[in-house]
Amino acid sequence: GWDINTRALRISLPIDKHKKWSLQIEQVLSSKRVSQKQLEILVGRLNHLGSIIPMCRHFLSRLRHALLRSSKAGWTCLSLLEKGDIHMMQIFLEKSTKGISINNVVFRKPTHIYRSDASDFGVGGYNLVSRKAWRFELPTHLRLRTSINSLEFLACIITIWIDFIHNDIQSESCILSQTDNTSAAGWLRKSNFSDEEDLAVQLTAARHLASLIINNDCCLYSQWFAGDFNTVSDCLSHDFHLSDNELTFLIISSVPHQVPFGFYLTPIPTEISSWLTCLLRNQPFKE
């Protein structure tokens, strides 16, 4: 059920399917309530779409819960979050019609490897390929606004985002994000967020990550990484009492086997610091 261009090595959704699926999405979004049959067909089609766009599966969990909910009465009303997920599917659907590189579908060796970490005081990470590192100390008024798991997830996204801003990630790149937080590693693959208080932060971050990966025609892998071997990211997210030069010397002299040759610290782009600040300021302060 896919069109495969063997010369361009791209796979795409046929135009007739795109029209039919887009029409159903518009009908679901405009309806006050959706039948179980409609949701069953929609989830099946979107799951099919996820076979060439893995990021699509990221936002299917809430729709599957809606399908389960509809089995009791034969219909259900979709929440704003569920409709937001369907809006994301429209973006994926448009992308699938233009074509997805087969290099982003098959399993292959990463071209970019990132490691990151977070603490209550800040976030940090680095690229093992480009040797570029970053860190951001959270201002006092932004601390305790979200869980440490959410900060770990944000650190993973920012580490990748920095290279996109610097144009260091080319089309069809294969990105590997390593973190010592099991929740963050899982959230890079699927939206199984359970904490309602932090849902706004996690969902906003997940949708932004999906947009970055899809718009730049890349693929993303995630991997849990033992904390004992993540000393560099740990220092980047904790040791804000040291200057950049002092911290660089400490890392290179203490754990030289964990850093690539030419390791250096770079300032976080203003675009990212502003986004992170706004995101955390909208969250209530936690005791």
Side-chain angles (χ1 to χ4, degrees):
W2 296 98
D3 287 336
I4 300 178
N5 186 330
T6 54
R7 289 183 178 273
L9 276 180
R10 299 188 78 81
I11 181 170
S12 59
L13 189 70
I15 296 177
D16 59 328
K17 282 190 174 183
H18 173 262
K19 290 181 178 179
K20 186 183 292 184
W21 294 11
S22 296
L23 181 61
Q24 188 195 10
I25 288 178
E26 290 173 4
Q27 290 173 345
V28 168
L29 289 174
S30 60
S31 302
K32 292 184 178 179
R33 64 182 191 178
V34 187
S35 68
Q36 180 186 3
K37 186 65 176 177
Q38 279 180 301
L39 271 179
E40 192 173 357
I41 295 173
L42 180 62
V43 170
R45 287 173 171 174
L46 296 178
N47 191 59
H48 185 63
L49 184 63
S51 61
I52 66 163
I53 306 180
M55 273 289 173
C56 178
R57 304 181 198 141
H58 206 296
F59 305 97
L60 278 175
S61 56
R62 275 177 295 275
L63 296 179
R64 289 197 178 98
H65 281 297
L67 176 60
L68 183 63
R69 194 171 65 240
S70 68
S71 62
K72 298 179 180 178
W75 60 271
T76 187
C77 295
L78 297 179
S79 67
L80 290 177
L81 289 179
E82 290 161 351
K83 288 187 176 182
D85 288 338
I86 296 178
H87 279 297
M88 284 294 300
M89 297 303 174
Q90 288 180 308
I91 298 175
F92 297 139
L93 200 58
E94 291 298 325
K95 184 66 178 178
S96 69
T97 307
K98 296 176 182 177
I100 301 295
S101 171
I102 294 178
N103 288 326
N104 291 335
V105 179
V106 298
F107 187 78
R108 60 195 179 101
K109 184 178 179 180
T111 56
H112 297 73
I113 304 175
Y114 299 94
R115 290 178 185 168
S116 57
D117 197 21
S119 69
D120 291 329
F121 313 103
V123 288
Y126 66 109
N127 184 340
L128 272 75
V129 178
S130 69
R131 309 176 303 278
K132 186 189 304 175
W134 67 276
R135 59 175 177 164
F136 179 73
E137 183 178 10
L138 293 175
T140 306
H141 69 282
L142 294 182
R143 297 175 187 175
L144 300 178
R145 296 277 184 158
T146 189
S147 66
I148 188 66
N149 288 341
S150 297
L151 288 176
E152 294 270 10
F153 184 43
L154 291 170
C156 294
I157 296 171
I158 292 172
T159 308
I160 299 170
W161 191 4
I162 288 175
D163 273 2
F164 276 126
I165 291 177
H166 292 162
N167 295 318
D168 290 336
I169 301 180
Q170 294 73 36
S171 177
E172 298 186 20
S173 294
C174 182
I175 299 168
L176 172 61
S177 177
Q178 295 180 323
T179 173
D180 57 15
N181 184 276
T182 53
S183 295
W187 292 340
L188 289 168
R189 294 192 300 270
K190 58 182 179 180
S191 295
N192 57 343
F193 309 126
S194 57
D195 192 341
E196 292 294 330
E197 291 184 354
D198 296 319
L199 184 60
V201 170
Q202 296 161 350
L203 194 53
T204 300
R207 288 174 177 170
H208 183 70
L209 173 64
S211 299
L212 284 174
I213 298 299
I214 290 298
N215 292 337
N216 290 279
D217 203 18
C218 299
C219 64
L220 174 66
Y221 301 154
S222 67
Q223 183 181 42
W224 175 82
F225 191 66
D228 292 342
F229 300 100
N230 202 21
T231 311
V232 177
S233 298
D234 197 42
C235 290
L236 292 170
S237 63
H238 284 77
D239 297 332
F240 295 102
H241 60 288
L242 299 176
S243 67
D244 287 356
N245 289 335
E246 291 172 338
L247 182 59
T248 302
F249 176 78
L250 173 66
I251 290 173
I252 293 176
S253 60
S254 301
V255 282
H257 57 285
Q258 289 189 19
V259 290
F261 180 76
F263 175 86
Y264 68 98
L265 273 164
T266 183
I268 185 172
T270 306
E271 177 184 348
I272 297 179
S273 59
S274 298
W275 177 83
L276 180 59
T277 300
C278 292
L279 188 62
L280 294 179
R281 282 186 63 183
N282 290 331
Q283 289 295 103
F285 179 80
K286 296 183 178 182
E287 293 293 340

